[in-house]
Amino acid sequence: MTDLITAARAFAEAAHAGQTRKGAAREPYVVHLEEVAGYVAGHGGSDVAVAAAWLHDTVEDCGVTPDEIAARFGPEVAAVVAELTDDKARPKAERKRLQEINAPGKSADAALVKACDKLSNLRALVESPPVHWDRARRHAYVDWAERVVAALPAAADPVRPALAAAVARARAALG
């Protein structure tokens, strides 16, 4: 593991300390980050992409600023994290719509991280569904995640077979 990735991991673990996933298992949130970073690395992601995978939710969920990411991890990592960060001031439906609209314009690193993030979320949806999500909401998430990844540029191609399998597993689990 490079110094960049090690530093990103340590920063993300500290930033997300005490946070848990939405699922019934209440996994520590860093389990998701580790999974996304592992998927990115396993699909040939650069050190910048793996670092961004560790950091992809810090601005949205931890009060970390884009400037702080840039100062600690450099402009390349900060740019990828910025591409992956939703504007929480917007309503949730608008943020989801913008993910679909903006997907085709993602950089290669951001496209890979985004696809791996959705892959991780789909795995979690099957293994430990969010406790307050009814069946219809889980189905809607699967459909939306599939549309977002389908719209990503070719850099997401290595993840598409695994994502297709995860979508099929999710649909089968949901009935």
Side-chain angles (χ1 to χ4, degrees):
M1 192 175 316
T2 68
D3 289 346
L4 175 66
I5 295 169
T6 300
R9 178 183 183 152
F11 184 86
E13 287 174 341
H16 290 279
Q19 293 180 353
T20 58
R21 304 251 13 223
K22 295 174 186 173
R26 307 292 292 166
E27 302 175 303
Y29 196 79
V30 297
V31 169
H32 167 66
L33 303 175
E34 183 173 38
E35 185 172 55
V36 175
Y39 287 156
V40 170
H43 287 95
S46 68
D47 287 355
V48 166
V50 176
W54 277 105
L55 300 167
H56 77 273
D57 284 331
T58 57
V59 174
E60 277 181 37
D61 298 341
C62 302
V64 174
T65 67
D67 289 341
E68 189 174 1
I69 298 292
R72 288 177 178 260
F73 303 102
E76 288 180 278
V77 173
V80 176
V81 171
E83 285 187 75
L84 298 165
T85 300
D86 289 343
D87 180 355
K88 288 283 206 153
R90 294 179 183 271
K92 185 173 189 161
E94 176 70 0
R95 292 193 311 263
K96 290 181 80 151
R97 187 182 74 78
L98 287 172
Q99 279 197 36
E100 286 185 66
I101 289 169
N102 295 329
K106 296 289 182 211
S107 68
D109 285 341
L112 183 59
V113 175
K114 177 66 76 177
C116 291
D117 179 48
K118 297 299 183 234
L119 179 59
S120 173
N121 289 342
L122 287 169
R123 182 217 42 92
L125 186 70
V126 170
E127 294 179 13
S128 180
V131 291
H132 301 313
W133 286 23
D134 63 16
R135 190 169 169 271
R137 184 168 179 190
R138 286 183 258 163
H139 268 292
Y141 183 87
V142 173
D143 293 344
W144 172 74
E146 185 178 40
R147 288 191 310 271
V148 170
V149 174
L152 290 168
D157 286 354
V159 184
R160 292 186 207 282
L163 189 93
V167 165
R169 273 193 309 276
R171 287 193 174 124
L174 290 169

